PDB file of all heavy atoms in Angstrom:
ATOM      1  N   LEU Z 919       3.706  -5.111  -4.927  1.00 98.00           N
ATOM      2  CA  LEU Z 919       3.727  -5.135  -6.394  1.00 98.00           C
ATOM      3  C   LEU Z 919       2.384  -4.545  -6.876  1.00 98.00           C
ATOM      4  O   LEU Z 919       1.286  -5.009  -6.411  1.00 98.00           O
ATOM      5  CB  LEU Z 919       3.794  -6.558  -6.956  1.00 98.00           C
ATOM      6  CG  LEU Z 919       5.175  -7.219  -6.924  1.00 98.00           C
ATOM      7  CD1 LEU Z 919       5.040  -8.659  -7.377  1.00 98.00           C
ATOM      8  CD2 LEU Z 919       6.127  -6.466  -7.774  1.00 98.00           C
ATOM      9  N   ALA Z 920       2.393  -3.548  -7.773  1.00 98.00           N
ATOM     10  CA  ALA Z 920       1.145  -2.925  -8.141  1.00 98.00           C
ATOM     11  C   ALA Z 920       1.195  -2.375  -9.550  1.00 98.00           C
ATOM     12  O   ALA Z 920       2.245  -1.936 -10.012  1.00 98.00           O
ATOM     13  CB  ALA Z 920       0.836  -1.784  -7.154  1.00 98.00           C
ATOM     14  N   PHE Z 921       0.000  -2.341 -10.117  1.00 98.00           N
ATOM     15  CA  PHE Z 921      -0.190  -1.538 -11.322  1.00 98.00           C
ATOM     16  C   PHE Z 921      -0.219  -0.100 -10.893  1.00 98.00           C
ATOM     17  O   PHE Z 921      -0.722   0.223  -9.776  1.00 98.00           O
ATOM     18  CB  PHE Z 921      -1.492  -1.915 -12.054  1.00 98.00           C
ATOM     19  CG  PHE Z 921      -1.533  -3.321 -12.615  1.00 98.00           C
ATOM     20  CD1 PHE Z 921      -2.334  -4.295 -12.012  1.00 98.00           C
ATOM     21  CD2 PHE Z 921      -0.736  -3.683 -13.696  1.00 98.00           C
ATOM     22  CE1 PHE Z 921      -2.363  -5.554 -12.489  1.00 98.00           C
ATOM     23  CE2 PHE Z 921      -0.783  -4.939 -14.220  1.00 98.00           C
ATOM     24  CZ  PHE Z 921      -1.602  -5.905 -13.590  1.00 98.00           C
ATOM     25  N   ASP Z 922       0.188   0.806 -11.721  1.00 97.00           N
ATOM     26  CA  ASP Z 922       0.212   2.243 -11.330  1.00 97.00           C
ATOM     27  C   ASP Z 922      -1.180   2.746 -10.926  1.00 97.00           C
ATOM     28  O   ASP Z 922      -1.297   3.569 -10.036  1.00 97.00           O
ATOM     29  CB  ASP Z 922       0.805   3.097 -12.414  1.00 97.00           C
ATOM     30  CG  ASP Z 922       2.302   2.813 -12.592  1.00 97.00           C
ATOM     31  OD1 ASP Z 922       3.037   3.355 -11.780  1.00 97.00           O
ATOM     32  OD2 ASP Z 922       2.700   2.049 -13.502  1.00 97.00           O
ATOM     33  N   CYS Z 923      -2.206   2.202 -11.584  1.00 97.00           N
ATOM     34  CA  CYS Z 923      -3.590   2.618 -11.236  1.00 97.00           C
ATOM     35  C   CYS Z 923      -4.068   2.201  -9.862  1.00 97.00           C
ATOM     36  O   CYS Z 923      -5.077   2.621  -9.388  1.00 97.00           O
ATOM     37  CB  CYS Z 923      -4.539   2.154 -12.332  1.00 97.00           C
ATOM     38  SG  CYS Z 923      -4.732   0.351 -12.412  1.00 97.00           S
ATOM     39  N   GLN Z 924      -3.334   1.311  -9.238  1.00 98.00           N
ATOM     40  CA  GLN Z 924      -3.672   0.814  -7.889  1.00 98.00           C
ATOM     41  C   GLN Z 924      -3.131   1.768  -6.776  1.00 98.00           C
ATOM     42  O   GLN Z 924      -3.452   1.557  -5.623  1.00 98.00           O
ATOM     43  CB  GLN Z 924      -3.106  -0.599  -7.639  1.00 98.00           C
ATOM     44  CG  GLN Z 924      -3.822  -1.610  -8.463  1.00 98.00           C
ATOM     45  CD  GLN Z 924      -3.219  -2.985  -8.205  1.00 98.00           C
ATOM     46  OE1 GLN Z 924      -2.249  -3.363  -8.828  1.00 98.00           O
ATOM     47  NE2 GLN Z 924      -3.792  -3.659  -7.258  1.00 98.00           N
ATOM     48  N   VAL Z 925      -2.263   2.728  -7.128  1.00 97.00           N
ATOM     49  CA  VAL Z 925      -1.691   3.632  -6.171  1.00 97.00           C
ATOM     50  C   VAL Z 925      -2.591   4.800  -5.995  1.00 97.00           C
ATOM     51  O   VAL Z 925      -2.883   5.513  -6.935  1.00 97.00           O
ATOM     52  CB  VAL Z 925      -0.290   4.068  -6.552  1.00 97.00           C
ATOM     53  CG1 VAL Z 925       0.336   4.956  -5.483  1.00 97.00           C
ATOM     54  CG2 VAL Z 925       0.660   2.851  -6.763  1.00 97.00           C
ATOM     55  N   ILE Z 926      -3.193   4.957  -4.786  1.00 97.00           N
ATOM     56  CA  ILE Z 926      -4.125   5.992  -4.494  1.00 97.00           C
ATOM     57  C   ILE Z 926      -3.587   6.947  -3.397  1.00 97.00           C
ATOM     58  O   ILE Z 926      -2.496   6.684  -2.858  1.00 97.00           O
ATOM     59  CB  ILE Z 926      -5.517   5.397  -4.086  1.00 97.00           C
ATOM     60  CG1 ILE Z 926      -5.399   4.563  -2.778  1.00 97.00           C
ATOM     61  CG2 ILE Z 926      -6.083   4.563  -5.222  1.00 97.00           C
ATOM     62  CD1 ILE Z 926      -6.689   4.072  -2.254  1.00 97.00           C
ATOM     63  N   ASP Z 927      -4.270   8.035  -3.117  1.00 95.00           N
ATOM     64  CA  ASP Z 927      -3.810   8.998  -2.156  1.00 95.00           C
ATOM     65  C   ASP Z 927      -3.654   8.445  -0.784  1.00 95.00           C
ATOM     66  O   ASP Z 927      -2.698   8.671  -0.071  1.00 95.00           O
ATOM     67  CB  ASP Z 927      -4.734  10.184  -2.122  1.00 95.00           C
ATOM     68  CG  ASP Z 927      -4.672  11.028  -3.379  1.00 95.00           C
ATOM     69  OD1 ASP Z 927      -3.618  10.965  -4.058  1.00 95.00           O
ATOM     70  OD2 ASP Z 927      -5.616  11.736  -3.664  1.00 95.00           O
ATOM     71  N   GLU Z 928      -4.673   7.643  -0.340  1.00 94.00           N
ATOM     72  CA  GLU Z 928      -4.617   7.073   1.084  1.00 94.00           C
ATOM     73  C   GLU Z 928      -5.403   5.796   1.107  1.00 94.00           C
ATOM     74  O   GLU Z 928      -6.534   5.703   0.703  1.00 94.00           O
ATOM     75  CB  GLU Z 928      -5.187   8.103   2.027  1.00 94.00           C
ATOM     76  CG  GLU Z 928      -5.101   7.627   3.473  1.00 94.00           C
ATOM     77  CD  GLU Z 928      -5.644   8.626   4.454  1.00 94.00           C
ATOM     78  OE1 GLU Z 928      -6.038   9.729   4.008  1.00 94.00           O
ATOM     79  OE2 GLU Z 928      -5.744   8.255   5.621  1.00 94.00           O
ATOM     80  N   VAL Z 929      -4.696   4.775   1.684  1.00 95.00           N
ATOM     81  CA  VAL Z 929      -5.330   3.499   1.936  1.00 95.00           C
ATOM     82  C   VAL Z 929      -5.713   3.551   3.415  1.00 95.00           C
ATOM     83  O   VAL Z 929      -4.884   3.812   4.245  1.00 95.00           O
ATOM     84  CB  VAL Z 929      -4.349   2.340   1.623  1.00 95.00           C
ATOM     85  CG1 VAL Z 929      -4.898   0.995   2.141  1.00 95.00           C
ATOM     86  CG2 VAL Z 929      -4.073   2.280   0.142  1.00 95.00           C
ATOM     87  N   PRO Z 930      -6.923   3.138   3.743  1.00 91.00           N
ATOM     88  CA  PRO Z 930      -7.344   3.089   5.113  1.00 91.00           C
ATOM     89  C   PRO Z 930      -6.558   1.982   5.864  1.00 91.00           C
ATOM     90  O   PRO Z 930      -6.513   0.850   5.332  1.00 91.00           O
ATOM     91  CB  PRO Z 930      -8.801   2.798   5.094  1.00 91.00           C
ATOM     92  CG  PRO Z 930      -9.024   2.227   3.743  1.00 91.00           C
ATOM     93  CD  PRO Z 930      -8.025   2.803   2.834  1.00 91.00           C
ATOM     94  N   MET Z 931      -5.959   2.336   6.938  1.00 89.00           N
ATOM     95  CA  MET Z 931      -5.127   1.383   7.707  1.00 89.00           C
ATOM     96  C   MET Z 931      -5.692   1.207   9.097  1.00 89.00           C
ATOM     97  O   MET Z 931      -6.141   2.171   9.694  1.00 89.00           O
ATOM     98  CB  MET Z 931      -3.688   1.898   7.808  1.00 89.00           C
ATOM     99  CG  MET Z 931      -2.939   1.987   6.486  1.00 89.00           C
ATOM    100  SD  MET Z 931      -2.402   0.504   5.794  1.00 89.00           S
ATOM    101  CE  MET Z 931      -1.035   0.100   6.854  1.00 89.00           C
ATOM    102  N   GLU Z 932      -5.711  -0.015   9.593  1.00 86.00           N
ATOM    103  CA  GLU Z 932      -6.113  -0.311  10.907  1.00 86.00           C
ATOM    104  C   GLU Z 932      -4.884  -0.686  11.758  1.00 86.00           C
ATOM    105  O   GLU Z 932      -3.768  -0.868  11.180  1.00 86.00           O
ATOM    106  CB  GLU Z 932      -7.135  -1.434  10.927  1.00 86.00           C
ATOM    107  CG  GLU Z 932      -8.422  -1.018  10.209  1.00 86.00           C
ATOM    108  CD  GLU Z 932      -9.435  -2.133  10.176  1.00 86.00           C
ATOM    109  OE1 GLU Z 932      -9.486  -2.962  11.071  1.00 86.00           O
ATOM    110  OE2 GLU Z 932     -10.229  -2.179   9.189  1.00 86.00           O
ATOM    111  N   GLU Z 933      -5.008  -0.753  13.030  1.00 86.00           N
ATOM    112  CA  GLU Z 933      -3.889  -0.989  13.944  1.00 86.00           C
ATOM    113  C   GLU Z 933      -3.083  -2.243  13.588  1.00 86.00           C
ATOM    114  O   GLU Z 933      -1.853  -2.271  13.649  1.00 86.00           O
ATOM    115  CB  GLU Z 933      -4.420  -1.090  15.383  1.00 86.00           C
ATOM    116  CG  GLU Z 933      -3.341  -1.056  16.402  1.00 86.00           C
ATOM    117  CD  GLU Z 933      -3.903  -1.051  17.812  1.00 86.00           C
ATOM    118  OE1 GLU Z 933      -4.787  -0.162  18.064  1.00 86.00           O
ATOM    119  OE2 GLU Z 933      -3.465  -1.904  18.619  1.00 86.00           O
ATOM    120  N   HIS Z 934      -3.747  -3.310  13.141  1.00 84.00           N
ATOM    121  CA  HIS Z 934      -3.074  -4.556  12.837  1.00 84.00           C
ATOM    122  C   HIS Z 934      -2.410  -4.601  11.429  1.00 84.00           C
ATOM    123  O   HIS Z 934      -1.696  -5.510  11.105  1.00 84.00           O
ATOM    124  CB  HIS Z 934      -4.010  -5.755  12.993  1.00 84.00           C
ATOM    125  CG  HIS Z 934      -5.157  -5.713  12.027  1.00 84.00           C
ATOM    126  ND1 HIS Z 934      -6.331  -5.043  12.320  1.00 84.00           N
ATOM    127  CD2 HIS Z 934      -5.313  -6.265  10.785  1.00 84.00           C
ATOM    128  CE1 HIS Z 934      -7.177  -5.186  11.294  1.00 84.00           C
ATOM    129  NE2 HIS Z 934      -6.591  -5.888  10.378  1.00 84.00           N
ATOM    130  N   ASP Z 935      -2.752  -3.592  10.569  1.00 89.00           N
ATOM    131  CA  ASP Z 935      -2.239  -3.572   9.176  1.00 89.00           C
ATOM    132  C   ASP Z 935      -0.750  -3.203   9.244  1.00 89.00           C
ATOM    133  O   ASP Z 935      -0.358  -2.164   9.846  1.00 89.00           O
ATOM    134  CB  ASP Z 935      -2.973  -2.538   8.372  1.00 89.00           C
ATOM    135  CG  ASP Z 935      -4.438  -2.970   8.116  1.00 89.00           C
ATOM    136  OD1 ASP Z 935      -4.666  -4.231   8.086  1.00 89.00           O
ATOM    137  OD2 ASP Z 935      -5.240  -2.093   7.907  1.00 89.00           O
ATOM    138  N   LEU Z 936       0.124  -3.994   8.652  1.00 91.00           N
ATOM    139  CA  LEU Z 936       1.542  -3.732   8.551  1.00 91.00           C
ATOM    140  C   LEU Z 936       1.896  -2.859   7.307  1.00 91.00           C
ATOM    141  O   LEU Z 936       1.429  -3.228   6.191  1.00 91.00           O
ATOM    142  CB  LEU Z 936       2.335  -4.964   8.573  1.00 91.00           C
ATOM    143  CG  LEU Z 936       2.195  -5.821   9.821  1.00 91.00           C
ATOM    144  CD1 LEU Z 936       2.899  -7.162   9.694  1.00 91.00           C
ATOM    145  CD2 LEU Z 936       2.712  -5.072  11.053  1.00 91.00           C
ATOM    146  N   PRO Z 937       2.608  -1.829   7.485  1.00 94.00           N
ATOM    147  CA  PRO Z 937       2.979  -0.988   6.274  1.00 94.00           C
ATOM    148  C   PRO Z 937       4.045  -1.689   5.405  1.00 94.00           C
ATOM    149  O   PRO Z 937       4.856  -2.483   5.844  1.00 94.00           O
ATOM    150  CB  PRO Z 937       3.569   0.292   6.889  1.00 94.00           C
ATOM    151  CG  PRO Z 937       4.102  -0.143   8.241  1.00 94.00           C
ATOM    152  CD  PRO Z 937       3.205  -1.247   8.680  1.00 94.00           C
ATOM    153  N   MET Z 938       3.967  -1.386   4.108  1.00 97.00           N
ATOM    154  CA  MET Z 938       4.961  -1.792   3.188  1.00 97.00           C
ATOM    155  C   MET Z 938       6.244  -0.943   3.244  1.00 97.00           C
ATOM    156  O   MET Z 938       6.079   0.220   3.575  1.00 97.00           O
ATOM    157  CB  MET Z 938       4.393  -1.769   1.718  1.00 97.00           C
ATOM    158  CG  MET Z 938       3.113  -2.498   1.542  1.00 97.00           C
ATOM    159  SD  MET Z 938       3.250  -4.284   1.804  1.00 97.00           S
ATOM    160  CE  MET Z 938       2.743  -4.421   3.517  1.00 97.00           C
ATOM    161  N   GLU Z 939       7.386  -1.465   2.908  1.00 97.00           N
ATOM    162  CA  GLU Z 939       8.633  -0.719   2.939  1.00 97.00           C
ATOM    163  C   GLU Z 939       8.866  -0.138   1.506  1.00 97.00           C
ATOM    164  O   GLU Z 939       9.514   0.940   1.414  1.00 97.00           O
ATOM    165  CB  GLU Z 939       9.761  -1.602   3.306  1.00 97.00           C
ATOM    166  CG  GLU Z 939       9.758  -2.111   4.727  1.00 97.00           C
ATOM    167  CD  GLU Z 939      10.853  -3.066   4.960  1.00 97.00           C
ATOM    168  OE1 GLU Z 939      11.977  -2.548   5.381  1.00 97.00           O
ATOM    169  OE2 GLU Z 939      10.657  -4.245   4.735  1.00 97.00           O
ATOM    170  N   TYR Z 940       8.440  -0.910   0.483  1.00 98.00           N
ATOM    171  CA  TYR Z 940       8.758  -0.477  -0.874  1.00 98.00           C
ATOM    172  C   TYR Z 940       7.490  -0.642  -1.721  1.00 98.00           C
ATOM    173  O   TYR Z 940       6.611  -1.475  -1.417  1.00 98.00           O
ATOM    174  CB  TYR Z 940       9.828  -1.385  -1.494  1.00 98.00           C
ATOM    175  CG  TYR Z 940      11.202  -1.295  -0.859  1.00 98.00           C
ATOM    176  CD1 TYR Z 940      11.489  -2.089   0.264  1.00 98.00           C
ATOM    177  CD2 TYR Z 940      12.159  -0.496  -1.345  1.00 98.00           C
ATOM    178  CE1 TYR Z 940      12.721  -2.100   0.838  1.00 98.00           C
ATOM    179  CE2 TYR Z 940      13.418  -0.438  -0.753  1.00 98.00           C
ATOM    180  CZ  TYR Z 940      13.669  -1.208   0.324  1.00 98.00           C
ATOM    181  OH  TYR Z 940      14.934  -1.147   0.927  1.00 98.00           O
ATOM    182  N   LEU Z 941       7.423   0.133  -2.759  1.00 98.00           N
ATOM    183  CA  LEU Z 941       6.354   0.014  -3.726  1.00 98.00           C
ATOM    184  C   LEU Z 941       7.035  -0.133  -5.147  1.00 98.00           C
ATOM    185  O   LEU Z 941       7.935   0.639  -5.483  1.00 98.00           O
ATOM    186  CB  LEU Z 941       5.498   1.263  -3.717  1.00 98.00           C
ATOM    187  CG  LEU Z 941       4.299   1.337  -4.578  1.00 98.00           C
ATOM    188  CD1 LEU Z 941       3.287   0.225  -4.329  1.00 98.00           C
ATOM    189  CD2 LEU Z 941       3.563   2.668  -4.447  1.00 98.00           C
ATOM    190  N   LEU Z 942       6.607  -1.157  -5.838  1.00 98.00           N
ATOM    191  CA  LEU Z 942       7.189  -1.409  -7.155  1.00 98.00           C
ATOM    192  C   LEU Z 942       6.069  -1.384  -8.245  1.00 98.00           C
ATOM    193  O   LEU Z 942       5.104  -2.080  -8.182  1.00 98.00           O
ATOM    194  CB  LEU Z 942       7.797  -2.864  -7.170  1.00 98.00           C
ATOM    195  CG  LEU Z 942       8.383  -3.322  -8.485  1.00 98.00           C
ATOM    196  CD1 LEU Z 942       9.455  -2.409  -9.023  1.00 98.00           C
ATOM    197  CD2 LEU Z 942       8.983  -4.759  -8.311  1.00 98.00           C
ATOM    198  N   THR Z 943       6.169  -0.359  -9.115  1.00 98.00           N
ATOM    199  CA  THR Z 943       5.249  -0.201 -10.219  1.00 98.00           C
ATOM    200  C   THR Z 943       6.005  -0.033 -11.522  1.00 98.00           C
ATOM    201  O   THR Z 943       7.208   0.311 -11.479  1.00 98.00           O
ATOM    202  CB  THR Z 943       4.326   1.008 -10.019  1.00 98.00           C
ATOM    203  OG1 THR Z 943       5.113   2.209 -10.093  1.00 98.00           O
ATOM    204  CG2 THR Z 943       3.556   0.971  -8.714  1.00 98.00           C
TER     205      THR Z 943
END
């Protein structure tokens, strides 16, 4: 769940970070 201003080009991800399946703005 995000405000539109929170969506950026690239979020730094580490090996343990799980990706989201959906984005709701």
Side-chain angles (χ1 to χ4, degrees):
L919 284 176
F921 293 110
D922 291 281
C923 63
Q924 292 179 271
V925 181
I926 61 175
D927 290 337
E928 183 179 354
V929 170
M931 298 283 286
E932 296 179 31
E933 191 174 308
H934 64 272
D935 293 332
L936 296 175
M938 303 299 95
E939 295 174 90
Y940 296 86
L941 183 59
L942 178 57
T943 68

